[in-house]
């Protein structure tokens, strides 16, 4: 049973480019969360998605950031026109949907904006 | 609304000493509570969880936590610290289960 997969593990972009981060949840999980972690800081919730629906995007900046979780394929977090302040580790977590169940985290994508 | 407060962003203990990481939660309904560990350059791993069964929960690597409703606490302990315990620890709370609230984390340093 494969865990949550994220790719790429490391991503380097120049200012103004687009960053596309992918997350494949655990088999059977239809709920995906995205978090951002800055150095020396905790996890910041960004967005919560179910298949084909955004449930809660209250933690995601209104501009330049978008997320999707299509019926087929991985969840995508897209950052357009990246700036240096976007440099961080981005974690995806999947959840099976039962209240007492934990989230399962991927290894993260470390984005560096030059 | 739910929230979690982790007191002490940095904790240092000597190898072999007691580890105590504090977590207080706020919730208007019975919560589910979790502790996670994060090693450098890795994702979060579940240490243990409380789901309204036994109030004393045992997890991996010798860690345990006790749910105390009267104190709204879920502190993480380990009797004897090991060098390999050095990591970042996060407490999290959920109620309905579809929204998780994380603390800001506690960085544990183990001194040889």
């Amino acid at each position: 049973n494969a865990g949550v997969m994220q790719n790429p593990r490391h991503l380097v972009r120049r200012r103004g480019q687009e960053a596309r981060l992918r997350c494949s949840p655990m088999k059977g999980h239809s709920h995906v969360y995205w978090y951002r972690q800055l150095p020396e800081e905790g996890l910041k919730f960004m967005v919560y998605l179910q298949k084909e629906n955004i449930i809660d995007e209250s933690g995601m900046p209104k501009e330049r950031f978008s997320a999707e979780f299509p019926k087929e394929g991985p969840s995508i977090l897209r950052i357009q026109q990246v700036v240096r302040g976007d440099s961080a580790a981005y974690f995806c977590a999947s959840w099976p949907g039962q209240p007492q169940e934990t989230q399962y985290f991927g290894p993260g994508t470390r984005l560096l904006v030059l | 609304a739910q929230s979690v407060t982790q007191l002490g962003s940095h904790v240092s203990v000597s190898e072999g000493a007691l580890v105590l990481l504090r977590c207080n939660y706020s919730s208007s309904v019975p919560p589910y509570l979790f502790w996670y560990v994060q090693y450098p350059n890795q994702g979060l791993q579940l240490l243990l969880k409380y789901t309204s069964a036994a109030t004393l929960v045992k997890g991996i690597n010798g860690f345990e936590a006790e749910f105390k409703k009267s104190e709204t606490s879920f502190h993480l302990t380990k009797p004897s610290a090991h060098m390999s315990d050095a990591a970042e620890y996060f407490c999290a709370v959920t109620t309905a289960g579809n929204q998780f609230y994380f603390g800001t984390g506690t960085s544990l340093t183990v001194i040889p």
Side-chain angles (χ1 to χ4, degrees):
Chain A
N1 185 16
V4 178
M5 293 189 289
Q6 290 187 250
N7 66 81
R9 293 291 307 275
H10 299 273
L11 182 61
V12 179
R13 286 287 179 266
R14 297 190 181 279
R15 283 179 294 171
Q17 292 184 319
E18 178 180 284
R20 191 171 296 197
L21 288 60
R22 296 176 185 78
C23 169
S24 295
M26 290 182 69
K27 186 177 180 180
H29 290 196
S30 59
H31 303 250
V32 165
Y33 302 75
W34 285 94
Y35 297 88
R36 178 164 63 179
Q37 185 177 39
L38 292 166
E40 303 299 317
E41 293 188 17
L43 283 173
K44 302 294 185 185
F45 166 77
M46 298 183 73
V47 61
Y48 163 43
L49 311 101
Q50 290 186 33
K51 282 286 188 180
E52 301 184 273
N53 290 302
I54 296 176
I55 306 303
D56 182 351
E57 56 182 348
S58 59
M60 198 160 64
K62 295 288 188 290
E63 298 181 354
R64 302 189 299 108
F65 286 73
S66 63
E68 63 178 17
F69 190 14
K71 185 177 181 180
E72 301 291 337
S75 176
I76 306 288
L77 178 68
R78 185 180 292 111
I79 311 172
Q80 296 177 304
Q81 299 176 326
V82 295
V83 300
R84 286 193 175 145
D86 297 331
S87 296
Y90 292 84
F91 291 95
C92 161
S94 77
W95 182 57
Q98 286 79 47
Q100 72 276 18
E101 280 294 330
T102 182
Q103 294 183 334
Y104 294 84
F105 282 81
T109 293
R110 280 148 185 86
L111 172 66
L112 175 62
V113 180
L114 301 176
Chain B
Q2 297 80 43
S3 67
V4 165
T5 301
Q6 290 185 243
L7 293 175
S9 57
H10 297 274
V11 171
S12 294
V13 300
S14 297
E15 190 175 15
L18 171 72
V19 176
L20 170 61
L21 305 182
R22 300 178 186 274
C23 172
N24 288 87
Y25 70 91
S26 172
S27 176
S28 58
V29 297
Y32 301 111
L33 294 157
F34 306 83
W35 273 101
Y36 296 86
V37 61
Q38 183 183 31
Y39 298 103
N41 298 314
Q42 295 186 25
L44 276 68
Q45 303 172 32
L46 180 68
L47 269 179
L48 48 81
K49 64 180 181 180
Y50 167 75
T51 58
S52 74
T55 56
L56 182 62
V57 181
K58 294 187 184 298
I60 62 172
N61 301 339
F63 284 92
E64 62 182 36
E66 186 172 8
F67 173 70
K68 292 187 177 180
K69 184 178 179 180
S70 61
E71 299 177 8
T72 61
S73 68
F74 190 57
H75 301 331
L76 181 71
T77 60
K78 182 174 180 178
S80 177
H82 192 272
M83 295 299 294
S84 61
D85 294 327
E88 189 87 15
Y89 292 81
F90 292 92
C91 182
V93 64
T94 186
T95 54
N98 60 359
Q99 187 56 281
F100 289 75
Y101 299 88
F102 285 83
T104 51
T106 297
S107 177
L108 176 65
T109 300
V110 182
I111 303 167

